[in-house]
Amino acid sequence: YTILPKVVDSNGNTLSDTVAGRLHAYLFLDGKYDHTVTAEFDGRFLLSFDSSKKASLIIVGSKADGTNVAPPYEGEDIDSVMVHTSSPEGIYYGQFEYTSQNHDSISSVTVKLVEMHAVLRVAVRELHEYYGDGNFSVKLSGFRNSLSYDGAVTGDSITCSPTSSFISDEVLLTDSV
């Protein structure tokens, strides 16, 4: 198979390739890590495997150089934690699934890489009316800091305090996180 990664938004629209050179691809056979697949010079991944087994190619990339993608070890389960992050940066994830029941004569497949975090802005209204004048800030918690190879969001809850400012006398608006 020739696997062509394509970065898309939540609506499936193609985005500029902001993760080029930062893609990692891991092949899992029957739910266990088999080997890392290296990209060709043109960004494609050439994939060969035992077609009697269920195969999953996991492709992950990031806009940020500091995102720690932990390479799996031989035999590791597909539901193991892959990425730990301390901030909700853009992590892109795509998966190609092969089973002997869904094979056909197609040898080239496009895998869509979608961003795996939500974008959030908070608007707080009528602060001055209820609390008077003061220095206000917003603290968000509940974001998770890990992603498993099978695409499940897991890990510890992290907290962030986005920058905020008043856009009118009564509306405090945070930056996007």
Side-chain angles (χ1 to χ4, degrees):
Y1 282 92
T2 300
I3 308 297
L4 307 165
K6 180 170 84 169
V7 179
V8 298
D9 64 17
S10 60
N11 296 321
N13 301 314
T14 302
L15 301 174
S16 63
D17 191 357
T18 57
V19 295
R22 295 189 186 109
L23 293 178
H24 304 275
Y26 306 109
L27 181 65
F28 289 79
L29 298 176
D30 291 334
K32 303 286 187 193
Y33 173 71
D34 189 69
H35 67 275
T36 298
V37 181
T38 305
E40 298 296 308
F41 70 94
D42 60 1
R44 297 175 304 142
F45 292 92
L46 302 180
L47 188 59
S48 178
F49 54 88
D50 179 351
S51 63
S52 69
K53 297 181 178 183
K54 177 184 176 199
S56 299
L57 181 69
I58 307 303
I59 303 173
V60 65
S62 173
K63 285 191 240 181
D65 286 328
T67 301
N68 182 21
V69 177
Y73 56 85
E74 189 174 341
E76 187 170 11
D77 289 330
I78 197 168
D79 61 354
S80 298
V81 170
M82 168 182 55
V83 176
H84 289 287
T85 183
S86 59
S87 65
E89 293 292 328
I91 296 172
Y92 292 84
Y93 177 88
Q95 184 172 7
F96 167 67
E97 291 285 339
Y98 171 91
T99 63
S100 58
Q101 289 78 34
N102 72 359
H103 78 283
D104 50 30
S105 61
I106 297 173
S107 62
S108 182
V109 177
T110 299
V111 173
K112 294 180 180 181
L113 297 172
V114 295
E115 197 164 15
M116 293 299 290
H117 83 276
V119 177
L120 176 68
R121 278 185 101 171
V122 176
V124 184
R125 301 181 192 285
E126 302 175 0
L127 280 171
H128 293 300
E129 182 179 328
Y130 289 100
Y131 299 105
D133 290 334
N135 291 326
F136 298 101
S137 63
V138 175
K139 189 177 208 177
L140 302 170
S141 63
F143 290 106
R144 299 294 176 186
N145 69 346
S146 299
L147 178 69
S148 66
Y149 293 104
D150 64 359
V153 177
T154 63
D156 297 326
S157 178
I158 60 173
T159 300
C160 63
S161 297
T163 303
S164 60
S165 59
F166 281 93
I167 59 170
S168 73
D169 286 340
E170 290 300 323
V171 179
L172 178 70
L173 185 65
T174 69
D175 290 345
S176 296
V177 291

